[in-house]
Amino acid sequence: MRRVLIANRGAIAARAVDTFRTLGWSPIAVVASSDPQRLHALAADGCEYLEGDGLAETYDHVGRIVEAARRCGADAVYPGYGALAEDPELPGRLAAAGIAFVGPTAEVLAAARDKDHAVATADRLGLPVLPHATGHERIAKLVADIGLPVILKPVTGCGGLGVRIVRTESEAERALALIGADEGDGGDGGDGWYAERYVEHGAVVGVTVAVDAAATVHPLGERESLLVDGSMKLLEASPVRGVTPELVERMRADTARLVTGMGLRGVATVEFIVGSGSGAGTGGRRHWFLEVNGRLPLAYRMCEAQTGLDVVALQMELARGALPAPGRIRVDRDAHCMEARLFIEPAAGGAPGRITALELAPEPGVTYNCALDVRSPVVLDNIVTQVLALGGSRAAAAGAVLRAVEGSGVSGVGTCAEEIAVWLRGSGLVPERLGSQALGV
């Protein structure tokens, strides 16, 4: 039996273990010696231990993952989602070791990860892009030319880490000083920072697709972010209702153009920001390219709800060069789903927390995605569970999410459950209203 190393942790790793066993592969888990949360490894056929502290030294450390794959005799490595799944070094080093990678090539991941390169590629392929710049001098000129606000991002960052919105002149001065310090300290000349015009009250729409070896693009669904807090998407819904069908169709076409133009194979998501604009059939709104992620999306279960597919299994199928039959992958865009994510609020001083009690309320049409052990401290986790609700309408899905979030109990750590509940009650999607205390976009 072939072996696959599941190079991740938590709920996605537990899910991947089950999927690969169903596919006839022997799943091997990885566990950081310093990680007290290990439920994801219980059902695996074996376990490889990683020395070090924190994600960067363990689960996201390419060298240690490659060595673990060698030790266990893995034929393939599956990364799921997260920083490791977007690191181009991993597929490159695995290829050198004769081990398959379930995901895009190193070249494609490098192109997608570099925001400046990705935007340049999107622009070359005809996708709409925002005014943007990289590096200290060019960012300063961008601010002078277009004014504020702008959004500042690490060029190769992922998961929204390090992103900041610059709204005032004083904030711009501090941000430019920070970028200039990189240059003055003999760093990358400030080229590690990327800036683009910030779209006020913009909505993020993600389009997920599967691309096979023949460059055929298969849709896996779209979703819109309803509630965002910083870099965290607390609430997403599908099908997209915040923009016109014509604009959604344009984003689908732009997604197909981009992923094929990049030579991407596998499952990927292209994100767009939607804001005020003009154009036939757009309802006074337009879209711009935001980023491309060549990995499993955090919202993969929403894709599965609308396609009936196991998306993790599909990733493996595509990695092995399979060509899905025409029409096999179909999206039921009449199937409404909504997903809430109960992110953990950082503890004071960054100290580990401990979930002393966890009760997930049974609710018709709702499933949870959780792999936390309440008997162990929470050190590396940033989310308690994902709450996925299916319904015959957006209102029905929203009501199910609200009942599930309010009916569930988490003790010992803070979560964003109240923010989600307040937003839903104030959204008009459910009968009860609590006023306009909503957070996010």
Side-chain angles (χ1 to χ4, degrees), residues 70 261 287 308:
R70 283 179 172 145
H287 70 294

Side-chain angles (χ1 to χ4, degrees), residues 165-188:
I165 301 169
V166 179
R167 296 182 180 278
T168 66
E169 292 294 337
S170 60
E171 289 175 344
E173 289 177 4
R174 288 194 295 270
L176 288 168
L178 170 68
I179 298 170
D182 286 347
E183 182 177 10
D185 291 340
D188 52 20

Side-chain angles (χ1 to χ4, degrees), residues 8-9 34-35 52-61 83 380-381:
N8 214 310
R9 63 185 299 282
S34 57
D35 185 3
D53 296 311
L55 292 172
E57 293 184 7
T58 55
Y59 298 100
D60 292 342
H61 193 287
L380 301 177
D381 302 271

Side-chain angles (χ1 to χ4, degrees), residues 59-71:
Y59 298 100
D60 292 342
H61 193 287
V62 171
R64 289 182 174 141
I65 292 297
V66 173
E67 285 304 313
R70 283 179 172 145
R71 285 196 305 267

Side-chain angles (χ1 to χ4, degrees), residues 357-399:
L358 174 60
E359 182 179 355
L360 302 177
E363 174 66 30
V366 171
T367 57
Y368 298 92
N369 203 22
C370 178
L372 284 178
D373 184 353
V374 297
R375 300 166 298 180
S376 302
V378 174
V379 177
L380 301 177
D381 302 271
N382 69 345
I383 188 171
V384 174
T385 188
Q386 294 163 259
V387 184
L388 177 65
L390 308 181
S393 65
R394 175 162 293 189

Side-chain angles (χ1 to χ4, degrees), residues 420-430 432-438:
I420 294 171
V422 168
W423 190 92
L424 283 170
R425 287 187 176 277
S427 67
L429 292 173
V430 291
E432 304 88 350
R433 297 182 63 89
L434 296 182
S436 56
Q437 303 177 51

Side-chain angles (χ1 to χ4, degrees), residues 112 125 216 245 315 380 398 412:
L125 294 171
T216 302
Q315 286 183 287
L380 301 177

Side-chain angles (χ1 to χ4, degrees), residues 24 34 40 46 49 75 87 97 124-125 128 147 158 190 192 207 213 230 250 268 286 295 359 374 379 395 423-424:
S34 57
H40 66 275
Y49 288 91
D75 299 286
D87 194 331
R124 175 175 57 82
L125 294 171
C158 66
V207 181
R250 292 186 189 183
R286 61 172 299 188
R295 55 162 171 77
E359 182 179 355
V374 297
V379 177
W423 190 92
L424 283 170

